[in-house]
């Protein structure tokens, strides 16, 4: 059985505005601006691989309805079966790649000599969240606090009474000229 991949180069159909195609592709793949920048960078981006002819054609039609163009390419080893899911992660993160991988384009050729960890993909349905212990509530003393009755106004100070006039009854005015 032949195996194909769907390749996107960031090209837009001639009858569609680039902004409109970009927005539709963003909705189709549910990606944000950063991923759209990568998709429309002009580099060769493999959207999906390991597909049969009919499935690859469905991807092409959906992308063309969104206003962009893509290619369906037979994979290098089309006689092989699609890649099987990787085993659960068991190798330590310090394990390094030992095989020589040919870069698919000149962008990826820049990373040819990078010594990166070989991290496999978790199988479908694997729990990716670390298990955590139940949180311990903090010991806070709330005994000095009280609640205002329902309907009361909060954050309003009571007006202070106006200051009283000073007592001047003991004072006298005299004319000593």
């Amino acid at each position: 059985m032949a195996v194909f991949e769907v390749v996107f180069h960031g090209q837009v159909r001639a009858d569609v505005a680039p902004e409109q195609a970009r927005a539709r592709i963003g909705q189709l793949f549910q990606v944000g601006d950063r991923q759209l920048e990568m998709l429309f960078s002009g580099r060769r981006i493999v959207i999906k691989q390991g597909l049969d002819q009919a499935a690859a054609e469905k991807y092409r039609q959906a992308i063309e309805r969104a206003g962009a163009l893509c290619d369906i390419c037979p994979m290098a080893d089309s006689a092989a079966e699609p890649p099987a899911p990787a085993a659960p992660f068991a190798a330590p993160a310090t394990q390094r790649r030992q095989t020589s991988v040919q870069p698919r384009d000149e962008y990826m050729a820049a990373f040819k000599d990078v010594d990166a960890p070989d991290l496999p993909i978790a199988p479908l349905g694997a729990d990716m969240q670390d298990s955590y212990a139940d949180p311990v509530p903090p010991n806070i003393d709330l005994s000095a606090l009280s609640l205002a009755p329902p309907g009361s106004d909060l954050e309003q100070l009571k007006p202070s009474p106006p200051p009283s006039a000073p007592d001047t009854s003991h004072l006298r005015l005299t004319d000593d000229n």
Side-chain angles (χ1 to χ4, degrees), residues 85-86 88 121-129:
I121 298 174
L124 182 64
D127 188 12
M128 301 302 293
Q129 176 69 37

Side-chain angles (χ1 to χ4, degrees), residues 87-166:
F89 181 72
T94 58
Q95 179 180 349
R96 303 294 177 181
R97 290 193 177 130
Q98 301 297 323
T99 60
S100 174
V101 176
Q102 293 297 324
R104 66 175 182 242
D105 56 18
E106 61 185 47
Y107 175 76
M108 294 305 292
F111 301 101
K112 181 176 72 170
D113 297 326
V114 173
D115 189 24
D118 188 14
L119 301 174
I121 298 174
L124 182 64
D127 188 12
M128 301 302 293
Q129 176 69 37
D130 294 334
S131 60
Y132 292 105
D134 290 332
V136 178
N139 187 14
I140 299 174
D141 181 21
L142 302 175
S143 62
L145 301 177
S146 63
L147 293 176
S152 49
D153 292 330
L154 301 178
E155 296 293 325
Q156 293 184 3
L157 298 176
K158 294 180 183 176
S160 59
S164 60

